[in-house]
Every structure is written in structure tokens, then in C-alpha cells.
Amino acid sequence: MANFKLFNRQAATLPVTDTFNASQAPAYAYNARHKLAQLAVTGCLNQTFHASAQAQLDSVLQLVAELDSRYVAKAAVYARQRGHMKDMPALLLAALVAQRSALVPELFAQVVDSGKMLRTFVQILRSGVTGRRSLGSQPKRLVQDWLNNASEYQLLQASVGTQPSLADVVKMVHPKPAEAWRAAFFAWLLGKPVDVQALPELTRDLLAFRSGATTEVPAVPLQLLGNETLSAEQWAEQARYMGWQALRMNLNTLARHAAFQVPGCAEQVAARLADAAQVAKARVYPYQLLAAYRMAGDEVPQVVREALQEALELSLANVPTLPGAVVVCPDVSGSMHSPVTGYRQGATTAVRCIDVAALVAAAVLRKQPKARVLPFEFEVVKVRLNPRDSVMSNAQKLASIGGGGTNCSAPLARLADEKARVDTLILVSDNESWIDARRHGATETMRQWERIKRINPQARLVCIDMQPGATTQAPEREDILNVGGFSDAVFDVIEQFALGQYAARHWVRAIETCGTGLGRK
């Protein structure tokens, strides 16, 4: 009898690999729409373990040129509103400006939702990378409208930062404000002579505080206070007014300046951090809360630490309760120990891909205590988790293991060998499997998935990829979902996939339904 591993009906039906991943192992290529979606929600435009910043930029611009502008616009909206991305939505908008797309005004309104996004958009457009160096009449008009409709607080927030500064932007577009206070504000911003009494209230308060005319700290962004010396009571007052994200990032600063020693301050900060409405409005990544918890110094009170844990649980509200037997397989290999948003001098996050993978696994376990967690590198790594522990605790335990090569098929082989019951298998990886590379035919991941399917015909496979790659070890089909990103939006798509609400190209269809008011070309 001939070799059954080579000559069998099941192996012949599996898709043959059509490309190589960054580790030069056989893989399946994403189609153009899926590739843009992957870049839109994971492309940090920084150096990652497997992709350079320039390669990401080149890929995005090539895909924008190939795809219809309506899909590009939908991807930008999804990346901003669901994926909470910053630079990539602005890049996609700037690329459509260069194409003179009719969708630009509608897209601008949905993507440029803050002064920081406004400055990022202007920076990218004027850099020349999308094919033009000037704003042009339509973008100029859109920027003018934003400046002429933003609140005073939004303008003050936008004035924090350079390259370009808000003053640079105002010089570029010359807004014509209808209100006297706005005209005075722009004049002050540009360093022109202005009657202080004509300025709006917060700006007057800021100038009075800077000059020493008052000791009352104005309710302005913390960065605008410069190096002013504040008392513990004034720092505690700042904790009341700073934005939610700023509060999360400045806990050690508040502790260092003794703000938490002011009666009631710690409790007030904890209440704000754990406020469900503020957590949702802040569009915080779950991993950012994990990072805040890990980085909080000993002087940060326990009540504040507990509030961060509660906020993390709130940020994972989208984790679905999946039916049946659920297995989560976080990749803990060496490449997963790289920063999740890549390397950039002076701006490299302390959060690694493995932290996010561990967080996903811990979140699913918290929602479904009977779920199995199988971390893998060369092979499956043994770890014992308590479903009753917090998401924070289990995520930290998972993130502390691993470090070998990548073998995406290892946990699937374990399940197939056990003839285990599987209804939903979630694989969280960078898809750069190479230990199990095969020279011909399908990937080993697909071969092992077929073994699982023969035991569990109803099983579904979800592959979550957090890196800006272009390949997968398991191509999209009715029972396989490939989704990217590190916000909680991925759980929305997973739930819809598990419920059978999308046919093939599940994630692309989810993106195509995103964005209101975006008409057709």
C-alpha cells in the first residue's frame, strides 16, 4: 500500500500554500482587501519584529491605489472608530485626498475627531508621501471648518504638540472665525498682540495662572501648565479635570507630587477610572490598562490599583460568551516578546505582543471558566490558571512564559491527538510559524485543523493576528476567520462569526458595514 500520508483524499482537498511568511515558511496570502484591513488595524508605522515602517507605508499606498476608494474609506473608519488607531486612519484619509476622492469630506468628519488627529492628518498630507505636499483647496476648507467649530478646550488640547503645532496649522489655512473670542484665541496662538479680555475664559485663566496673578489652577490640559510648581492640593485638583486617558497615564506623577495624600483624592481618581461611561468614551485599549497597572508605583494607593483592574474588566465588555467547548491558544514564542506597536526611538511601548495575546486568553477564560488555554511556542507550554483570578492576574502569568520558536500547529495537534471536543478554537499569534514548515501542499496548521474537523465537524477556527503581516497559516473559509488588531473590537467580529452572521470573508464584510454616510463613488 502506498504512503497514506502522501496519498489520501483529505490531504488532496486542503488548499496549497501560495506564498511565504516573513520567516520564509510556506503560508497563505491575504487578498488585497484583507491585507489593507490587517494593516489598517495593526500598522503602527514603526519597526516591528517582522516588518519595517517603510514596508508598511509602501504596502498601504499600493493597496489604496489598487482598491476602490469606498472600501479604503470604510477601512479608515473601522480603524479609527473600532480599532482605536491613530496614524493609519489619517494616512488612509491623506491617500484619498491625493486621489481627489469624493468621499474625503465625509471621511474627514468621521476620522478627524480630535486636534491631535487634525495635526497628524496635516503632517502626513504635507510630507509628500501620498503624492502631494500642499493641502489643496478642499482639505484646507475642511481644516478651517474644524478650527472654526472646535470648542475652546478642544483648541487648547490641540495646541499641545509640534510638527506641526496648532499655530503652524492656523498659519497654513488662515481660518476666518465668526466669533470674537475665536479670533482673539488664534491671534494669541500666533503670538500677535491681543486684548486679554477678548480671550475666552479658560485661556484667560491659564494666562493669569502663568503670570502669578492667581494661584487657582485652570482646568486646562496638564501639559499647558509647563513646569509650574503646584502644591499637593493643586495636583489633586488637576486629577479632577484632566482627561481620562491623561489620568491613566499620570498616576505615578500624582503620587510623586503627593496628590493622593490629599483627603478624598485617591477615592475620586478610582471612581473616575472605574466609571463605565468614561472607559467607553476614552476608547482605551485593554492592554493600556494592563500597562498602567504594571507600571503603577508603590505610592499609588491600592484603591486606585483596584480601579484599574475594574476598568480593564469594563474595557473587555465585548468579550462574547461562545457556545460549547472553547479553546484559546496564545502564542508565547520569541517574536511575541516584541513591542505590540513596534520600535521607535523615544516612543516604544513597554507592552509586548505576548501581553496582548495573554490578555485575550485571560479575558475569554474569565467569561468562560471551562475554556481551555494552551499557550504554545515550539510545543504546547504547560500552565495552570485559575478562572476565578482576575484578567490582570492570569494575563501576567501567561505573559511570563515562553520564548522559543513559533509552531502554530502544536496546540491543534495536541487537541487532535486527544480527540478533544472543540467548538471554537481561538489562535492568537503573529502567524509567523516556521517550526512546522512543510515544503509542499497545505500548512501543518491546516492539516491539524482537518483532523480536528473530522472529530468536530461544527468546529470554528479564529486566528487573531496583532502584527501588520500579509499571510496566515489558515486561509479564510466558512469555518475559519482571520481578524487583526489589539482593541476589543475583535470580539465583536468573533461573536458575529460564531453566530454565523457572516459568510466567507467574515472580517472584510464587517469592515464593509462600518461607517455611516459614506456614499458610493
Side-chain angles (χ1 to χ4, degrees), residues 123-406:
Q123 176 195 358
I124 292 174
L125 190 59
R126 283 178 54 85
S127 71
V129 299
T130 62
R132 59 187 295 171
R133 291 185 178 277
S134 63
L135 287 177
S137 58
Q138 184 188 64
K140 180 179 178 180
R141 191 162 55 249
L142 293 170
V143 174
Q144 287 174 336
D145 289 344
W146 192 95
L147 292 169
N148 285 329
N149 288 284
S151 67
E152 180 192 7
Y153 192 84
Q154 286 176 313
L155 291 171
L156 286 169
Q157 278 185 317
S159 69
V160 177
T162 59
Q163 298 181 335
S165 65
L166 185 63
D168 294 331
V169 175
V170 170
K171 290 176 185 176
M172 291 176 204
V173 302
H174 305 291
K176 304 277 191 298
E179 306 99 329
W181 73 262
R182 198 180 300 271
F185 181 91
F186 291 149
W188 167 74
L189 190 69
L190 297 175
K192 296 180 179 179
V194 62
D195 180 1
V196 172
Q197 294 307 310
L199 290 169
E201 183 179 4
L202 281 179
T203 310
R204 291 200 309 271
D205 293 345
L206 174 63
L207 294 180
F209 181 77
R210 284 178 173 176
S211 68
T214 179
T215 58
E216 185 175 347
V217 182
V220 298
L222 182 63
Q223 299 93 323
L224 291 175
L225 297 179
N227 296 319
E228 306 293 341
T229 301
L230 306 183
S231 66
E233 289 74 17
Q234 288 174 323
W235 276 106
E237 188 74 4
Q238 274 300 294
R240 290 180 55 192
Y241 293 117
M242 68 175 67
W244 192 95
Q245 289 279 29
L247 184 63
R248 170 185 66 82
M249 294 186 291
N250 283 284
L251 296 177
N252 287 333
T253 301
L254 292 172
R256 189 168 60 252
H257 291 283
F260 292 127
Q261 296 178 24
V262 176
C265 179
E267 292 73 18
Q268 186 181 79
V269 168
R272 287 195 62 198
L273 288 174
D275 183 272
Q278 291 195 54
V279 170
K281 184 179 179 181
R283 293 192 291 190
V284 61
Y285 288 119
Y287 80 77
Q288 291 175 319
L289 289 160
L290 175 64
Y293 182 84
R294 282 185 5 196
M295 296 174 68
D298 293 338
E299 294 179 348
V300 175
Q302 184 62 29
V303 66
V304 175
R305 293 168 176 273
E306 291 173 357
L308 286 172
Q309 294 202 50
E310 189 174 342
L312 176 61
E313 303 278 349
L314 290 169
S315 74
L316 292 165
N318 284 347
V319 178
T321 301
L322 301 171
V326 178
V327 184
V328 191
C329 307
D331 182 350
V332 295
S333 65
S335 61
M336 294 288 285
H337 289 251
S338 61
V340 70
T341 54
Y343 302 92
R344 186 172 64 178
Q345 188 172 5
T348 299
T349 177
V351 181
R352 307 159 299 169
C353 294
I354 193 174
D355 295 316
V356 182
L359 191 59
V360 171
V364 173
L365 183 64
R366 177 70 176 221
K367 205 70 174 274
Q368 299 179 241
K370 292 184 179 180
R372 292 184 66 181
V373 178
L374 299 178
F376 68 93
E377 44 170 55
F378 281 106
E379 55 190 21
V380 174
V381 180
K382 188 175 181 180
V383 63
R384 180 171 292 180
L385 302 176
N386 183 351
R388 295 186 177 182
D389 284 349
S390 68
V391 170
M392 199 84 76
S393 298
N394 280 330
Q396 289 180 311
K397 187 178 294 185
L398 281 167
S400 67
I401 61 177
T406 308

Side-chain angles (χ1 to χ4, degrees), residues 15 41 427 439 451:
V41 298
L427 189 75
R439 293 183 62 187
R451 291 181 63 204

